Amino acid sequence: MQGMFAVELPPAPVLFTFPSMAESDDLSAAVGQFIVEAQTQSILRRGRFTVALSGGSMPKILAEALLGDDRVDWRRWEVFFADERLVPLDHPESTFSIYDKLIFSRVPIPAWQIHTIKALPELAEAQGAKKAAHKLAEDYEEQLSRSFPDCNGEDGIAGPPRFDLVLLGMGADGHCASLFPSHALLAERNYWVSPILDAPNPPSSRITFTLPVLSAARRLAFVCAGADKSLALGNALDSGLEEDDEQKVPAGRVILKGHPVVWFVDEEAARGVEYPRSEFWEE
Ligand SMILES: O=C(O)[C@H](O)[C@@H](O)[C@H](O)[C@H](O)COP(=O)(O)O
């Protein structure tokens, strides 16, 4: 039949499973290798490595995966946070503060290449939490625009910033970044960064990348461990659930175009999940 065209389906997610992190460093070593490969390709092609990081257990996993690896070219890294809690930057629950203690303070990454939210206290005092949250999300989106000039449409390429790599965790409820199940933010398609004031996980006030930014990534990996993640993992990988199905957990709604979403999980999280396992290390 003339005029038929093949709809290009996104590549299926790839699932790598490893022994529990309590017993072995196989998972973090594989994550480190994956990051170094993405970094090398990005620097070769674009002279820098743009990364969006999650909080939770990710900082500790990345410290284990990357510290001491001399292949990591920190001076070329440009770091954003896929979500951040609206607390002062020196607060123990600030994702930036945790990364700074565990990683940034120990490696030669220029401070101006680590993009944090603006200081909060003054803003919140002056304008109240809601207005402050909107202002901080707006400012973070401006920081993105400045760091990703080609997403402003100047040279005809409009659309969300394309990170070289996004690293996400997943909650037991299937949330990623600060995109939580059944939340209106899952439908946000215009803004790249949104405030959320009713996050079910404390602290309740955050800013988060929206799905368009996560799904625009050149490479994206989830890293999750623990038996409490297996139900959400099964849901996220269930090809029978459409991306926009109400039942689909947020982590399952991140769909890349060029590359498969990659999952690095431990055997506890993968237990009972019916999905083909792939071998990370080539024989
Ligand atoms: O700031 C945050 O809380 C994170 O960005 C959040 O999305 C995290 O990645 C998940 O809650 C998984 O956390 P764990 O890996 O610690 O389970």
Side-chain angles (χ1 to χ4, degrees):
M1 187 191 278
Q2 288 307 318
M4 285 296 283
F5 55 90
V7 176
E8 203 173 315
L9 292 174
V14 172
L15 176 65
F16 297 120
T17 56
F18 301 89
S20 149
M21 286 196 281
E23 291 149 22
S24 103
D25 64 0
D26 289 4
L27 188 149
S28 60
V31 170
Q33 180 63 27
F34 181 78
I35 293 170
V36 164
E37 286 172 9
Q39 171 205 259
T40 306
Q41 192 178 71
S42 307
I43 292 173
L44 264 179
R45 291 186 179 171
R46 289 173 290 278
R48 67 175 187 167
F49 183 45
T50 56
V51 197
L53 302 175
S54 283
S57 56
M58 191 68 79
K60 190 167 174 293
I61 293 169
L62 296 189
E64 196 175 293
L66 301 171
L67 289 183
D69 186 334
D70 56 15
R71 298 175 299 170
V72 182
D73 188 354
W74 292 105
R75 290 181 177 76
R76 304 292 191 94
W77 281 46
E78 191 91 39
V79 172
F80 279 82
F81 298 95
D83 62 331
E84 178 58 292
R85 294 86 180 277
L86 297 189
V87 295
L89 290 175
D90 59 359
H91 189 283
E93 289 201 303
S94 151
T95 297
F96 161 72
S97 157
I98 297 165
Y99 273 104
D100 195 36
K101 280 190 187 60
L102 285 177
I103 301 178
F104 300 150
S105 56
R106 304 161 192 241
V107 297
I109 181 169
W112 57 87
Q113 287 170 211
I114 302 168
H115 299 270
T116 64
I117 59 170
K118 282 256 180 308
L120 177 71
E122 311 74 58
L123 215 54
E125 257 163 53
Q127 304 186 13
K130 187 162 186 217
K131 269 194 168 177
H134 279 272
K135 197 115 182 59
L136 290 168
E138 213 175 279
D139 169 74
Y140 212 55
E141 187 150 322
E142 278 161 25
Q143 290 191 56
L144 274 178
S145 287
R146 287 196 295 275
S147 275
F148 292 84
D150 64 355
C151 67
N152 300 330
E154 275 139 19
D155 44 11
I157 309 168
R162 292 200 71 197
F163 278 87
D164 293 317
L165 177 63
V166 173
L167 288 169
L168 296 176
M170 179 182 69
D173 62 357
H175 81 263
C176 59
S178 287
L179 298 173
F180 292 89
S182 311
H183 200 283
L185 267 187
L186 289 170
E188 179 55 58
R189 293 292 176 272
N190 299 316
Y191 290 103
W192 302 335
V193 183
S194 281
I196 172 170
L197 300 172
D198 57 351
N201 290 19
S204 60
S205 293
R206 299 148 174 246
I207 60 162
T208 183
F209 281 177
T210 56
L211 280 174
V213 176
L214 301 180
S215 294
R218 290 189 175 88
R219 290 267 197 287
L220 184 139
F222 283 93
V223 183
C224 66
D228 64 329
K229 307 289 175 81
S230 52
L231 270 181
L233 179 63
N235 175 301
L237 293 172
D238 181 351
S239 55
L241 281 175
E242 289 303 314
E243 170 194 338
D244 52 3
D245 185 319
E246 260 306 295
Q247 302 302 317
K248 192 77 170 173
V249 296
R253 300 186 187 205
V254 179
I255 312 279
L256 300 190
K257 293 180 183 61
H259 288 274
V261 170
V262 176
W263 289 81
F264 293 89
V265 307
D266 72 353
E267 279 149 7
E268 286 163 46
R271 189 159 297 125
V273 172
E274 288 178 24
Y275 192 84
R277 271 68 167 158
S278 299
E279 275 308 310
F280 179 75
W281 300 103
E282 269 130 43
E283 294 306 323

